[in-house]
Amino acid sequence: MCGIVGAVAQRNITPILLEGLKRLEYRGYDSCGVALHVDGALQRSRSTSRVADLEKQVDETGLKGFTGIAHTRWATHGAPASHNAHPHFSPSSDNARIALVHNGIIENHDELRAELTALGYVFQSQTDTEVIAHLVDHMYNGDLFDTVQQAVKRLHGAYAIAVFAREEPHRVVAARQGSPLIVGVGQGENFVASDAMALAGTSDQIIYLEEGDVVDLQLGKVWIVDVNGKSVEREVKTVHAHTGAAELGPYRHYMQKEIFEQPRVIGDTLEGITGVMPELFGDGAYKVFKEIDRVLILACGTSYYAGSTAKYWIESIAKVPVNVEIASEYRYRDSVPDPRTLVVTISQSGETADTLAALKHARALGMEHTLTICNVATSAMVRECKLAYITRAGVEVGVASTKAFTTQLAALFLLALTLAQVNGRLTDEEEAAHLKAMRHLPSAITSVLALEPQIIAWADEFARKENALFLGRGLHYPIALEGALKLKEISYIHAEAYPAGELKHGPLALVTEEMPVVTIAPNDTLIEKLKSNMQEVRARGGQLFVFADVDSRITSGDGVHVIRMPEHYGQLSPILHVVSLQLLAYHSALARGTDVDKPRNLAKSVTVE
Ligand code: G6P
């Protein structure tokens, strides 16, 4: 999703801006651009290809400067075309007085566009961003900081912007409302970015701007005003942001690497846990867990499926009722709030706009007990929640989430145990048995990864199909949903998941010889029911691809293909089964030759609604 980097320095900042864009690349984008102050004029370069292509263009034209901004764009308003790529200039390309980049969505852009068109501005793009550039130009009074403070008052919606003016060569002004933005403080130079990771290696002195802040960046000065225009001091934190993508090593794609990292990162996430303790979720967690009667989980995408799995665990182990809601739905629907609710957000990035907004909505409804399960300790989500459990998946580069998901599951299982303990529902023996099973996860996952050659054989067959069904029951229904999501995200095969008992209520109509039906068959209490559902498929000629637990007594035969899962894993079984589905999606995509790590139209971190 969109990324911003900006700098004011006394050295050529082109490499810093491009390096920053590269660090943000993994989030997904479809075009990119950079603008610099060059000899009293504004110049830019834009590309609808990769940042590497932009870098080549910049090298060829020799674009250099001390003040500038750069952007990766994920199209919302207007196609991914060069004229829609940021930075946007105003009043026009040949006579640029203002350059601006923007993340977010301006909701009143139509109205502003009409107003600015009537004033004589000619729009070069379909973006909502160009509206802000012209608005700043129109309101410009010789002081960019003051102008931006006035201009943002006209904007409705979410934005993080960075802007500079031809008349003020050593100044970048930035502002945020609803989209993240940070400042990197340097020695006689200052930076702005949408994420601290963009500045790794450049500045580790980071200020997290707050909602409504406007910041003035000059060579030796960072001046921030808050939403009321009042001068404010914000804490400067030392942040050792990850230095971006690690090496691929022996793997072809980051997704494959990340699938294979799961034994290690689950081990890291659980490291040092010697017992179930509320404090693992933050100071004061015991008191909070004591005060709640129910749990509300808010998340999007893969994180939502982690929450859906956790519902089964928390209700079964802790006997606490759980509601799981898709964040983008929850934030806009009328719900019945209960202040004795633990609101749990789950997010890999900690930046997802819908999840952040849903959290704020829950708080506005009077639900103050908030916990996040998040992979980025410095993210907005962690800062906004009272309690946090940081998963240690490390940077996840592949857009399709894998290791972040399984570490979320490990953390959520621990939450279920903790709530059970606080409610007096966990005996010492049960605690010891669960912890033992959790500690064994890394080696159990390693055995699942060893199934890769068998899964590759299936994937070759899947790659020729256009549709697939995934079936699961109980705890494994959310895993079927996640398996289908993985397959469609990266292989573009249409995939649907159903609780197996629902098959006869509709999806059975789709089953023919051409329809592969992936079945998750753990040896649990529902196994006999599941076997009946499999018969329903076979009777219609459907091809079954079954991941069966070692002791489930399902065997390969006509139209039934079985891969045997190495061990039966009880309540933690979803964490093992999903790994085989990740491999199936990965190898199907590989066989179809798609861009596995950067699937079309998708972004890693969705910072717009
Ligand atoms: C995007 C990503 C998904 C992710 C979802 C939620 O759609 O492509 O992989 O599951 O956002 O992201 P979060 O960072 O909040 O977990």
Side-chain angles (χ1 to χ4, degrees):
M1 187 120 302
C2 304
I4 291 176
V5 195
V8 196
Q10 285 166 302
R11 53 179 168 147
N12 173 30
I13 53 158
T14 314
I16 294 173
L17 297 181
L18 292 172
E19 184 58 31
L21 292 189
K22 281 186 195 157
R23 293 190 193 286
L24 296 173
E25 264 192 310
Y26 77 98
R27 297 150 61 109
Y29 67 105
D30 40 49
S31 55
C32 48
V34 55
L36 291 144
H37 206 287
V38 186
D39 300 331
L42 306 189
Q43 288 187 16
R44 73 180 159 191
S45 187
R46 297 183 288 180
S47 165
T48 49
S49 181
R50 301 277 119 195
V51 176
D53 180 70
L54 180 70
E55 193 169 27
K56 229 164 96 206
Q57 268 174 228
V58 166
D59 279 351
E60 279 162 16
T61 53
L63 190 58
K64 286 186 183 144
F66 296 170
T67 301
I69 53 180
H71 192 259
T72 48
R73 172 174 189 254
W74 186 77
T76 55
H77 295 64
S82 180
H83 66 277
N84 285 328
H86 305 205
H88 286 283
F89 279 174
S90 182
S92 65
S93 310
D94 324 325
N95 174 30
R97 288 191 295 248
I98 297 292
L100 182 138
V101 292
H102 162 229
N103 290 355
I105 291 177
I106 302 303
E107 287 168 9
N108 58 336
H109 69 99
D110 277 341
E111 177 195 321
L112 290 170
R113 184 184 295 257
E115 192 180 315
L116 290 157
T117 306
L119 286 166
Y121 283 97
V122 179
F123 281 79
Q124 314 285 323
S125 77
Q126 286 82 47
T127 63
D128 50 342
T129 303
E130 196 183 354
V131 165
I132 320 175
H134 293 323
L135 184 68
V136 171
D137 183 69
H138 169 59
M139 296 176 76
Y140 187 59
N141 60 10
D143 179 344
L144 189 64
F145 188 41
D146 182 62
T147 305
V148 171
Q149 288 177 60
Q150 304 312 320
V152 293
K153 291 186 184 146
R154 300 284 324 272
L155 306 178
H156 301 164
Y159 57 82
I161 57 171
V163 47
F164 68 106
R166 189 177 65 196
E167 308 310 324
E168 299 175 74
H170 301 294
R171 189 178 222 184
V172 169
V173 174
R176 69 155 289 204
Q177 177 73 52
S179 295
L181 202 62
I182 58 109
V183 169
V185 182
Q187 301 279 338
E189 54 185 21
N190 289 302
F191 310 91
V192 64
S194 46
D195 185 328
M197 194 201 281
L199 300 182
T202 299
S203 172
D204 61 0
Q205 297 301 295
I206 302 295
I207 298 171
Y208 291 91
L209 294 175
E210 294 190 9
E211 292 289 56
D213 281 357
V214 183
V215 58
D216 183 8
L217 300 179
Q218 299 190 34
L219 288 173
K221 169 176 154 185
V222 174
W223 182 14
I224 303 171
V225 294
D226 70 9
V227 68
N228 302 311
K230 215 173 112 242
S231 211
V232 279
E233 291 281 327
R234 300 266 180 246
E235 192 188 345
V236 182
K237 296 186 176 165
T238 303
V239 175
H240 299 295
H242 302 285
T243 49
E247 294 301 312
L248 262 179
Y251 301 102
R252 283 183 70 174
H253 293 99
Y254 283 104
M255 183 181 177
Q256 188 190 23
K257 175 172 186 274
E258 287 157 5
I259 290 172
F260 277 82
E261 275 174 354
Q262 289 177 109
R264 180 173 62 73
V265 296
I266 296 246
D268 289 351
T269 297
L270 300 175
E271 195 185 68
I273 294 175
T274 49
V276 172
M277 285 173 281
E279 288 65 33
L280 292 169
F281 295 87
D283 291 344
Y286 177 78
K287 188 164 175 284
V288 170
F289 292 169
K290 264 292 190 208
E291 278 173 18
I292 57 108
D293 297 329
R294 55 184 60 248
V295 173
L296 168 65
I297 298 181
L298 303 169
C300 302
T302 289
S303 297
Y304 170 74
Y305 295 140
S308 307
T309 312
K311 176 183 169 75
Y312 286 86
W313 284 333
I314 297 173
E315 294 201 341
S316 144
I317 302 171
K319 307 287 179 223
V320 177
V322 181
N323 201 11
V324 194
E325 300 239 14
I326 291 177
S328 56
E329 285 295 309
Y330 174 75
R331 63 185 285 196
Y332 291 119
R333 80 176 184 86
D334 286 332
S335 53
V336 185
D338 176 350
R340 292 181 65 85
T341 302
L342 176 65
V343 179
V344 181
T345 61
I346 308 174
S347 178
Q348 184 280 127
S349 61
E351 276 188 26
T352 303
D354 281 322
T355 312
L356 280 168
L359 168 69
K360 283 186 192 149
H361 180 64
R363 278 211 313 246
L365 292 174
M367 294 184 281
E368 288 296 334
H369 298 313
T370 54
L371 160 70
T372 187
I373 308 289
C374 187
N375 197 41
V376 181
T378 52
S379 63
M381 202 75 73
V382 175
R383 281 179 279 125
E384 298 276 332
C385 284
K386 212 186 258 180
L387 303 173
Y389 191 98
I390 308 299
T391 48
R392 297 213 208 132
V395 179
E396 192 178 63
V397 177
V399 164
S401 185
T402 52
K403 60 177 182 169
F405 180 69
T406 43
T407 53
Q408 285 168 351
L409 289 180
L412 287 161
F413 190 74
L414 203 55
L415 177 65
L417 298 183
T418 310
L419 292 176
Q421 187 193 59
V422 169
N423 291 332
R425 293 186 182 275
L426 190 73
T427 64
D428 289 350
E429 291 71 36
E430 284 164 341
E431 177 185 347
H434 284 308
L435 286 177
K436 189 168 169 228
M438 289 185 88
R439 283 192 204 106
H440 180 58
L441 273 172
S443 99
I445 295 173
T446 305
S447 310
V448 178
L449 292 171
L451 301 174
E452 192 180 32
Q454 293 177 61
I455 295 173
I456 291 173
W458 282 10
D460 288 342
E461 200 154 331
F462 271 69
R464 292 194 291 271
K465 306 286 183 195
E466 290 308 322
N467 299 286
L469 270 179
F470 284 67
L471 301 180
R473 292 196 76 132
L475 251 187
H476 294 81
Y477 168 49
I479 297 306
L481 286 163
E482 171 62 6
L485 177 67
K486 285 288 87 87
L487 190 69
K488 63 187 140 194
E489 276 181 314
I490 58 168
S491 74
Y492 315 146
I493 295 171
H494 171 233
E496 298 271 0
Y498 278 91
E502 269 293 292
L503 197 60
K504 54 192 172 297
H505 298 295
L508 201 54
L510 295 171
V511 172
T512 66
E513 277 178 14
E514 280 308 298
M515 177 69 86
V517 181
V518 179
T519 309
I520 307 168
N523 191 17
D524 59 16
T525 50
L526 292 169
I527 188 73
E528 292 310 322
K529 308 257 175 234
L530 188 74
K531 284 181 185 166
S532 311
N533 302 139
M534 287 164 55
Q535 289 305 325
E536 292 161 13
V537 172
R538 270 313 292 140
R540 275 88 191 167
Q543 296 287 311
L544 284 160
F545 293 83
V546 190
F547 289 101
D549 276 4
V550 67
D551 46 2
S552 63
R553 281 185 293 159
I554 299 174
T555 45
S556 295
D558 187 28
V560 184
H561 314 271
V562 176
I563 289 182
R564 221 155 268 298
M565 296 293 285
E567 53 190 305
H568 169 57
Y569 219 79
Q571 278 170 310
L572 285 166
S573 163
I575 300 183
L576 299 196
H577 272 277
V578 78
V579 172
S580 47
L581 301 183
Q582 293 167 350
L583 284 171
L584 181 63
Y586 172 72
H587 285 289
S588 303
L590 199 62
R592 284 166 77 100
T594 59
D595 190 351
V596 174
D597 285 332
K598 296 191 183 83
R600 68 185 179 208
N601 308 338
L602 300 181
K604 180 77 190 152
S605 187
V606 182
T607 49
V608 293
E609 122 161 62

